[in-house]
Amino acid sequence: ERGRIARREPLYVEGLNALAMTLSSMHQGEKLLVGALRYAGEAADRAIDIGVLDGLIGALSVQVRVLTTLGRLGEADAKMSELDQALASAIDATPRLARLTAEVEHHRARLLAAQGKADAAASALALARQELLAQADCLAGTPYRQSFVEGRLIHREIMAGAP
């Protein structure tokens, strides 16, 4: 009974996304990436079931990341379209989720770079960096700004300027 209840909690979605992102960032082989894809799929399903919009965006982001890394660019492009739709819906419902734009644009940049579209990738990455720095500027003069910019892998990737 507790297992069924736990699957309907936002924390369950966050845990699945964290696991999927960790596996996707290890770059230790196809099996780990496929595992990340599976966990991200489960997270997306649960997020849809319980209406956790940021969890859905996180899960779709990991799926785009993994599919791009695996070279499954057609599938990654389709997931990117889903991600764009999810972000637009999330922003309409909860405007504060616009903060996820930087991450979405970073994943777009990675996909575009893998597709050989260097100029479009550079534009998407510039937008991601601009959005991330705008968020960081809200923390200017506080000890939290540096940890915000450097504390998450995706933020470090955006700041490094590499798709």
Side-chain angles (χ1 to χ4, degrees), residues 5 24 28-29 36-38 61 64 67-68 86 92 111 116 120 153 159:
I5 292 170
S24 74
Q28 297 291 324
L37 197 56
R38 204 171 17 238
S61 293
V64 170
L67 291 167
T68 301
D92 285 345
L111 176 57
L153 172 64
M159 294 306 292

Side-chain angles (χ1 to χ4, degrees), residues 8-31:
R8 302 206 38 87
E9 291 293 325
L11 188 58
Y12 183 75
V13 174
E14 290 176 25
L16 288 170
N17 277 337
L19 183 56
M21 186 61 179
T22 300
L23 291 174
S24 74
S25 64
M26 296 175 92
H27 303 291
Q28 297 291 324
E30 188 173 340
K31 284 186 179 183

